[in-house]
Amino acid sequence: KAGVTQTPRYLIKTRGQQVTLSCSPISGHRSVSWYQQTPGQGLQFLFEYFSETQRNKGNFPGRFSGRQFSNSRSEMNVSTLELGDSALYLCASSAGTVRGNEQFFGPGTRLTVL
Amino acid sequence: AQTVTQSQPEMSVQEAETVTLSCTYDTSESDYYLFWYKQPPSRQMILVIRQEAYKQQNATENRFSVNFQKAAKSFSLKISDSQLGDAAMYFCAYLTSGTYKYIFGTGTRLKVLA
């Protein structure tokens, strides 16, 4: 099976712009979670989608949004970018039907906001 | 709100020796999962080991084992016979009860010395 893929791998944006990141889960997985990883902060949970519905949400401002398509692919959007949004954004997929199932992570998208 | 604390930002171990990484968490729940994830340099995060809170027996995966102390809310990872390939960031994670929302610690960077 192909692993979790994320595109693009690297992005450079300026303050005020918006950005869309994409995540393709492992075939058959219906749950996709998004995380923001910054040095010293670890991974912060953004949200989780299951079968096109947001099932769980972290404590991020409304500038961070996401969606999931019928093929389970997911996108994350950040509007009005701020310098503090510079981070590695990881997505993880799992079957999503049983709590505690292993999450499989993608390589991440490195976002730099100038 | 649940929190996960990894108090050791960095640890070093000699090849073939044993090292223990610490993790404590705060929760009022009784049903949850705990995980250790490994993030090698420039590589994808992978699951090392998983523990279900209702199981008293400590989880073991080859050279990796945990010391789960539920009353003390402690979940440490022991790596035996350390290998150069064990060098990575290690994250402790908590899965909240009834949700698919993961809470991660800030990570411990493990260096393995030849």
Side-chain angles (χ1 to χ4, degrees), chain A residues 35 37 40 42-43 45 48 55-57 90 96-103 105-107, chain B residues 31-33 35 37 39 44-45 47 50 91 95-102 104-106:
Chain A
Y35 298 88
Q37 183 178 6
L43 278 74
F45 176 82
E48 184 250 356
R55 191 164 60 174
N56 294 275
K57 188 177 187 303
L90 296 171
T97 53
V98 177
R99 286 181 61 248
N101 274 355
E102 180 176 355
Q103 287 190 107
F105 283 81
Chain B
D31 175 29
Y32 50 87
Y33 290 80
F35 307 81
Y37 279 90
Q39 187 178 41
Q44 291 167 229
M45 184 121 47
L47 177 66
R50 165 179 44 209
F91 291 95
L95 178 59
T96 60
S97 173
T99 78
Y100 290 82
K101 177 180 178 179
Y102 290 76
F104 281 76
T106 52

Short mmCIF file of all heavy atoms in Angstrom, two decimals, chain A residues 35 37 40 42-43 45 48 55-57 90 96-103 105-107, chain B residues 31-33 35 37 39 44-45 47 50 91 95-102 104-106:
data_model
loop_
_atom_site.label_atom_id
_atom_site.label_comp_id
_atom_site.label_asym_id
_atom_site.label_seq_id
_atom_site.Cartn_x
_atom_site.Cartn_y
_atom_site.Cartn_z
N TYR A 35 -2.08 18.20 12.04
CA TYR A 35 -1.32 18.70 13.17
C TYR A 35 -0.38 19.81 12.72
O TYR A 35 0.12 19.79 11.59
CB TYR A 35 -0.46 17.59 13.81
CG TYR A 35 -1.24 16.44 14.37
CD1 TYR A 35 -1.59 15.35 13.58
CD2 TYR A 35 -1.62 16.44 15.71
CE1 TYR A 35 -2.31 14.29 14.11
CE2 TYR A 35 -2.33 15.38 16.24
CZ TYR A 35 -2.66 14.32 15.44
OH TYR A 35 -3.37 13.26 15.96
N GLN A 37 3.26 21.28 13.75
CA GLN A 37 4.44 20.97 14.54
C GLN A 37 5.42 22.13 14.50
O GLN A 37 5.86 22.55 13.42
CB GLN A 37 5.14 19.70 14.03
CG GLN A 37 6.34 19.30 14.88
CD GLN A 37 7.02 18.03 14.42
OE1 GLN A 37 6.69 17.45 13.37
NE2 GLN A 37 7.98 17.55 15.19
N GLY A 40 9.68 23.08 20.09
CA GLY A 40 9.34 23.45 21.46
C GLY A 40 7.87 23.31 21.80
O GLY A 40 7.50 23.29 22.97
N GLY A 42 5.90 20.86 20.10
CA GLY A 42 5.44 19.53 19.75
C GLY A 42 4.39 19.60 18.67
O GLY A 42 4.39 20.49 17.84
N LEU A 43 3.49 18.64 18.69
CA LEU A 43 2.41 18.59 17.71
C LEU A 43 1.13 19.12 18.35
O LEU A 43 0.73 18.67 19.42
CB LEU A 43 2.16 17.15 17.24
CG LEU A 43 3.07 16.61 16.15
CD1 LEU A 43 4.45 16.30 16.69
CD2 LEU A 43 2.46 15.36 15.53
N PHE A 45 -2.89 19.52 17.76
CA PHE A 45 -3.98 18.95 16.99
C PHE A 45 -4.85 20.07 16.40
O PHE A 45 -5.31 20.97 17.11
CB PHE A 45 -4.82 18.06 17.91
CG PHE A 45 -6.05 17.48 17.29
CD1 PHE A 45 -5.97 16.34 16.50
CD2 PHE A 45 -7.29 18.06 17.50
CE1 PHE A 45 -7.12 15.79 15.95
CE2 PHE A 45 -8.44 17.52 16.94
CZ PHE A 45 -8.35 16.38 16.17
N GLU A 48 -9.81 16.71 12.89
CA GLU A 48 -9.88 15.36 12.34
C GLU A 48 -11.16 15.21 11.54
O GLU A 48 -12.23 15.67 11.97
CB GLU A 48 -9.85 14.31 13.46
CG GLU A 48 -9.83 12.85 12.97
CD GLU A 48 -11.11 12.09 13.23
OE1 GLU A 48 -12.04 12.64 13.86
OE2 GLU A 48 -11.19 10.92 12.80
N ARG A 55 -14.98 15.61 12.76
CA ARG A 55 -15.40 14.87 13.94
C ARG A 55 -14.79 15.43 15.22
O ARG A 55 -15.39 15.32 16.29
CB ARG A 55 -15.03 13.39 13.75
CG ARG A 55 -15.62 12.45 14.74
CD ARG A 55 -15.55 11.02 14.29
NE ARG A 55 -14.21 10.52 14.04
CZ ARG A 55 -13.94 9.24 13.75
NH1 ARG A 55 -14.91 8.36 13.71
NH2 ARG A 55 -12.70 8.87 13.50
N ASN A 56 -13.59 15.98 15.10
CA ASN A 56 -12.92 16.56 16.26
C ASN A 56 -12.18 17.82 15.85
O ASN A 56 -11.73 17.93 14.71
CB ASN A 56 -11.91 15.57 16.87
CG ASN A 56 -12.56 14.35 17.45
OD1 ASN A 56 -13.01 14.34 18.59
ND2 ASN A 56 -12.65 13.30 16.66
N LYS A 57 -12.06 18.75 16.78
CA LYS A 57 -11.44 20.03 16.48
C LYS A 57 -10.53 20.44 17.63
O LYS A 57 -10.88 20.26 18.80
CB LYS A 57 -12.52 21.08 16.25
CG LYS A 57 -12.02 22.41 15.72
CD LYS A 57 -13.19 23.34 15.46
CE LYS A 57 -12.75 24.63 14.78
NZ LYS A 57 -11.74 25.37 15.53
N LEU A 90 1.55 18.38 9.52
CA LEU A 90 1.49 16.93 9.31
C LEU A 90 0.05 16.47 9.21
O LEU A 90 -0.82 16.97 9.92
CB LEU A 90 2.14 16.20 10.49
CG LEU A 90 3.63 16.43 10.72
CD1 LEU A 90 4.06 15.82 12.05
CD2 LEU A 90 4.46 15.84 9.60
N GLY A 96 -10.02 4.80 11.45
CA GLY A 96 -10.95 5.73 12.08
C GLY A 96 -12.19 5.10 12.66
O GLY A 96 -13.08 5.80 13.13
N THR A 97 -12.28 3.79 12.63
CA THR A 97 -13.50 3.14 13.12
C THR A 97 -13.34 2.59 14.53
O THR A 97 -14.32 2.30 15.20
CB THR A 97 -13.90 2.00 12.19
OG1 THR A 97 -12.78 1.12 12.01
CG2 THR A 97 -14.32 2.55 10.83
N VAL A 98 -12.13 2.45 14.98
CA VAL A 98 -11.85 1.94 16.32
C VAL A 98 -10.84 2.87 16.98
O VAL A 98 -9.78 3.12 16.42
CB VAL A 98 -11.27 0.51 16.29
CG1 VAL A 98 -10.91 0.05 17.69
CG2 VAL A 98 -12.25 -0.44 15.64
N ARG A 99 -11.20 3.40 18.15
CA ARG A 99 -10.26 4.28 18.85
C ARG A 99 -9.01 3.51 19.20
O ARG A 99 -9.05 2.36 19.57
CB ARG A 99 -10.90 4.83 20.11
CG ARG A 99 -11.94 5.90 19.86
CD ARG A 99 -12.52 6.42 21.15
NE ARG A 99 -11.48 7.03 21.97
CZ ARG A 99 -11.05 6.53 23.12
NH1 ARG A 99 -11.55 5.40 23.58
NH2 ARG A 99 -10.12 7.14 23.82
N GLY A 100 -7.87 4.18 19.06
CA GLY A 100 -6.61 3.53 19.38
C GLY A 100 -5.95 2.91 18.17
O GLY A 100 -4.82 2.42 18.27
N ASN A 101 -6.66 2.93 17.02
CA ASN A 101 -6.02 2.45 15.79
C ASN A 101 -4.78 3.27 15.50
O ASN A 101 -4.74 4.46 15.76
CB ASN A 101 -6.97 2.56 14.60
CG ASN A 101 -7.87 1.36 14.46
OD1 ASN A 101 -7.73 0.39 15.18
ND2 ASN A 101 -8.79 1.43 13.54
N GLU A 102 -3.80 2.63 14.90
CA GLU A 102 -2.56 3.32 14.58
C GLU A 102 -2.81 4.43 13.58
O GLU A 102 -3.55 4.26 12.62
CB GLU A 102 -1.54 2.34 14.01
CG GLU A 102 -0.19 2.97 13.64
CD GLU A 102 0.81 1.95 13.18
OE1 GLU A 102 0.50 0.75 13.23
OE2 GLU A 102 1.90 2.37 12.76
N GLN A 103 -2.19 5.56 13.83
CA GLN A 103 -2.19 6.65 12.86
C GLN A 103 -0.93 6.52 12.01
O GLN A 103 0.16 6.27 12.54
CB GLN A 103 -2.16 8.01 13.55
CG GLN A 103 -3.45 8.43 14.22
CD GLN A 103 -3.37 9.88 14.65
OE1 GLN A 103 -3.98 10.75 14.07
NE2 GLN A 103 -2.59 10.13 15.68
N PHE A 105 1.48 8.67 9.53
CA PHE A 105 1.76 10.06 9.24
C PHE A 105 2.37 10.24 7.85
O PHE A 105 3.11 9.39 7.35
CB PHE A 105 2.74 10.64 10.27
CG PHE A 105 2.10 10.97 11.58
CD1 PHE A 105 1.86 9.99 12.53
CD2 PHE A 105 1.70 12.27 11.87
CE1 PHE A 105 1.26 10.29 13.75
CE2 PHE A 105 1.11 12.59 13.08
CZ PHE A 105 0.89 11.60 14.02
N GLY A 106 2.07 11.39 7.26
CA GLY A 106 2.71 11.79 6.03
C GLY A 106 4.03 12.49 6.31
O GLY A 106 4.38 12.71 7.48
N PRO A 107 4.76 12.88 5.28
CA PRO A 107 6.06 13.53 5.46
C PRO A 107 5.95 14.98 5.89
O PRO A 107 6.94 15.56 6.34
CB PRO A 107 6.70 13.43 4.07
CG PRO A 107 5.53 13.40 3.14
CD PRO A 107 4.44 12.66 3.86
N ASP B 31 -10.66 6.04 30.83
CA ASP B 31 -10.53 5.26 29.60
C ASP B 31 -9.79 6.09 28.55
O ASP B 31 -10.32 7.09 28.07
CB ASP B 31 -11.93 4.87 29.09
CG ASP B 31 -11.86 4.18 27.74
OD1 ASP B 31 -10.83 3.51 27.47
OD2 ASP B 31 -12.83 4.29 26.95
N TYR B 32 -8.59 5.68 28.23
CA TYR B 32 -7.82 6.42 27.25
C TYR B 32 -6.71 5.53 26.70
O TYR B 32 -6.51 4.40 27.17
CB TYR B 32 -7.23 7.70 27.87
CG TYR B 32 -6.49 7.49 29.17
CD1 TYR B 32 -5.14 7.15 29.19
CD2 TYR B 32 -7.15 7.63 30.39
CE1 TYR B 32 -4.47 6.95 30.39
CE2 TYR B 32 -6.48 7.42 31.59
CZ TYR B 32 -5.15 7.10 31.59
OH TYR B 32 -4.50 6.90 32.79
N TYR B 33 -6.02 6.04 25.72
CA TYR B 33 -4.88 5.34 25.14
C TYR B 33 -3.64 6.23 25.26
O TYR B 33 -3.74 7.46 25.21
CB TYR B 33 -5.10 5.05 23.65
CG TYR B 33 -6.14 4.01 23.35
CD1 TYR B 33 -7.49 4.32 23.36
CD2 TYR B 33 -5.76 2.71 23.02
CE1 TYR B 33 -8.45 3.35 23.07
CE2 TYR B 33 -6.71 1.75 22.72
CZ TYR B 33 -8.05 2.08 22.75
OH TYR B 33 -8.97 1.13 22.45
N PHE B 35 0.47 6.57 23.69
CA PHE B 35 1.32 6.15 22.59
C PHE B 35 2.71 6.77 22.72
O PHE B 35 2.89 7.84 23.30
CB PHE B 35 0.75 6.61 21.23
CG PHE B 35 -0.67 6.25 20.97
CD1 PHE B 35 -1.71 6.99 21.52
CD2 PHE B 35 -0.98 5.17 20.17
CE1 PHE B 35 -3.03 6.67 21.27
CE2 PHE B 35 -2.30 4.84 19.90
CZ PHE B 35 -3.32 5.58 20.46
N TYR B 37 5.52 7.80 19.79
CA TYR B 37 5.82 7.91 18.37
C TYR B 37 7.27 8.31 18.22
O TYR B 37 7.83 9.05 19.03
CB TYR B 37 4.92 8.95 17.69
CG TYR B 37 3.55 8.45 17.34
CD1 TYR B 37 2.49 8.56 18.24
CD2 TYR B 37 3.29 7.88 16.09
CE1 TYR B 37 1.22 8.11 17.90
CE2 TYR B 37 2.03 7.43 15.76
CZ TYR B 37 1.00 7.55 16.66
OH TYR B 37 -0.25 7.10 16.34
N GLN B 39 10.05 10.06 15.51
CA GLN B 39 10.21 10.86 14.29
C GLN B 39 11.71 10.96 13.98
O GLN B 39 12.41 11.81 14.51
CB GLN B 39 9.61 12.26 14.47
CG GLN B 39 9.59 13.08 13.20
CD GLN B 39 8.93 14.44 13.42
OE1 GLN B 39 9.15 15.09 14.44
NE2 GLN B 39 8.11 14.87 12.47
N GLN B 44 9.38 10.22 8.24
CA GLN B 44 8.03 10.27 8.75
C GLN B 44 7.90 9.67 10.14
O GLN B 44 8.63 8.76 10.52
CB GLN B 44 7.08 9.56 7.76
CG GLN B 44 6.93 10.34 6.48
CD GLN B 44 6.28 9.59 5.34
OE1 GLN B 44 6.79 9.59 4.23
NE2 GLN B 44 5.15 8.97 5.58
N MET B 45 6.95 10.20 10.88
CA MET B 45 6.65 9.73 12.22
C MET B 45 6.05 8.33 12.16
O MET B 45 5.19 8.05 11.32
CB MET B 45 5.66 10.69 12.87
CG MET B 45 5.32 10.40 14.29
SD MET B 45 5.70 11.74 15.41
CE MET B 45 5.05 13.11 14.58
N LEU B 47 4.65 4.88 14.69
CA LEU B 47 4.23 4.41 16.00
C LEU B 47 5.26 3.44 16.56
O LEU B 47 5.70 2.53 15.87
CB LEU B 47 2.88 3.71 15.89
CG LEU B 47 2.33 3.10 17.18
CD1 LEU B 47 2.00 4.18 18.19
CD2 LEU B 47 1.09 2.25 16.88
N ARG B 50 1.95 1.23 21.94
CA ARG B 50 0.63 1.72 22.34
C ARG B 50 0.22 1.01 23.63
O ARG B 50 0.48 -0.18 23.80
CB ARG B 50 -0.36 1.43 21.22
CG ARG B 50 -1.83 1.54 21.58
CD ARG B 50 -2.69 1.24 20.36
NE ARG B 50 -2.19 0.10 19.63
CZ ARG B 50 -2.36 -0.06 18.32
NH1 ARG B 50 -2.98 0.87 17.62
NH2 ARG B 50 -1.89 -1.13 17.72
N PHE B 91 7.90 11.25 20.72
CA PHE B 91 6.74 11.98 21.23
C PHE B 91 5.83 11.03 21.98
O PHE B 91 5.49 9.94 21.49
CB PHE B 91 5.95 12.62 20.08
CG PHE B 91 6.67 13.74 19.40
CD1 PHE B 91 7.41 13.51 18.25
CD2 PHE B 91 6.61 15.04 19.91
CE1 PHE B 91 8.07 14.56 17.60
CE2 PHE B 91 7.26 16.08 19.27
CZ PHE B 91 7.99 15.84 18.11
N LEU B 95 -4.67 9.83 23.80
CA LEU B 95 -5.92 9.86 23.03
C LEU B 95 -7.07 10.00 24.01
O LEU B 95 -7.28 9.12 24.85
CB LEU B 95 -6.08 8.61 22.20
CG LEU B 95 -7.38 8.50 21.39
CD1 LEU B 95 -7.52 9.66 20.41
CD2 LEU B 95 -7.44 7.17 20.66
N THR B 96 -7.81 11.10 23.86
CA THR B 96 -8.86 11.38 24.83
C THR B 96 -10.03 10.40 24.72
O THR B 96 -10.29 9.85 23.65
CB THR B 96 -9.39 12.82 24.64
OG1 THR B 96 -9.92 12.93 23.31
CG2 THR B 96 -8.28 13.84 24.81
N SER B 97 -10.72 10.25 25.80
CA SER B 97 -11.82 9.31 25.88
C SER B 97 -12.94 9.71 24.94
O SER B 97 -13.35 10.86 24.90
CB SER B 97 -12.34 9.28 27.32
OG SER B 97 -13.50 8.50 27.42
N GLY B 98 -13.44 8.75 24.17
CA GLY B 98 -14.60 8.98 23.34
C GLY B 98 -14.37 9.85 22.12
O GLY B 98 -15.30 10.21 21.41
N THR B 99 -13.12 10.21 21.86
CA THR B 99 -12.82 11.05 20.70
C THR B 99 -11.63 10.49 19.93
O THR B 99 -11.01 9.52 20.33
CB THR B 99 -12.47 12.50 21.09
OG1 THR B 99 -11.11 12.54 21.56
CG2 THR B 99 -13.39 13.02 22.18
N TYR B 100 -11.35 11.15 18.83
CA TYR B 100 -10.17 10.83 18.05
C TYR B 100 -9.21 12.01 18.07
O TYR B 100 -8.50 12.29 17.13
CB TYR B 100 -10.57 10.49 16.61
CG TYR B 100 -11.30 9.17 16.51
CD1 TYR B 100 -12.66 9.07 16.79
CD2 TYR B 100 -10.62 8.01 16.16
CE1 TYR B 100 -13.32 7.85 16.72
CE2 TYR B 100 -11.26 6.79 16.08
CZ TYR B 100 -12.62 6.72 16.37
OH TYR B 100 -13.27 5.51 16.29
N LYS B 101 -9.19 12.71 19.20
CA LYS B 101 -8.33 13.88 19.37
C LYS B 101 -7.09 13.47 20.16
O LYS B 101 -7.20 13.05 21.32
CB LYS B 101 -9.08 14.98 20.10
CG LYS B 101 -8.24 16.21 20.38
CD LYS B 101 -9.08 17.26 21.10
CE LYS B 101 -8.24 18.47 21.44
NZ LYS B 101 -9.04 19.51 22.13
N TYR B 102 -5.92 13.57 19.53
CA TYR B 102 -4.66 13.21 20.16
C TYR B 102 -3.98 14.45 20.74
O TYR B 102 -3.96 15.50 20.12
CB TYR B 102 -3.72 12.58 19.14
CG TYR B 102 -4.14 11.20 18.67
CD1 TYR B 102 -5.17 11.04 17.76
CD2 TYR B 102 -3.50 10.05 19.14
CE1 TYR B 102 -5.55 9.79 17.32
CE2 TYR B 102 -3.87 8.79 18.70
CZ TYR B 102 -4.90 8.67 17.79
OH TYR B 102 -5.28 7.42 17.36
N PHE B 104 -0.28 15.62 22.09
CA PHE B 104 1.13 15.23 22.07
C PHE B 104 1.94 16.05 23.06
O PHE B 104 1.64 17.21 23.34
CB PHE B 104 1.71 15.45 20.67
CG PHE B 104 1.37 14.37 19.68
CD1 PHE B 104 0.11 14.31 19.11
CD2 PHE B 104 2.31 13.42 19.31
CE1 PHE B 104 -0.21 13.31 18.19
CE2 PHE B 104 2.01 12.43 18.39
CZ PHE B 104 0.75 12.37 17.83
N GLY B 105 3.01 15.44 23.56
CA GLY B 105 4.00 16.16 24.33
C GLY B 105 4.93 16.92 23.40
O GLY B 105 4.80 16.85 22.18
N THR B 106 5.87 17.65 24.00
CA THR B 106 6.78 18.48 23.21
C THR B 106 7.96 17.70 22.64
O THR B 106 8.72 18.24 21.85
CB THR B 106 7.31 19.64 24.05
OG1 THR B 106 7.85 19.12 25.26
CG2 THR B 106 6.19 20.63 24.37
#
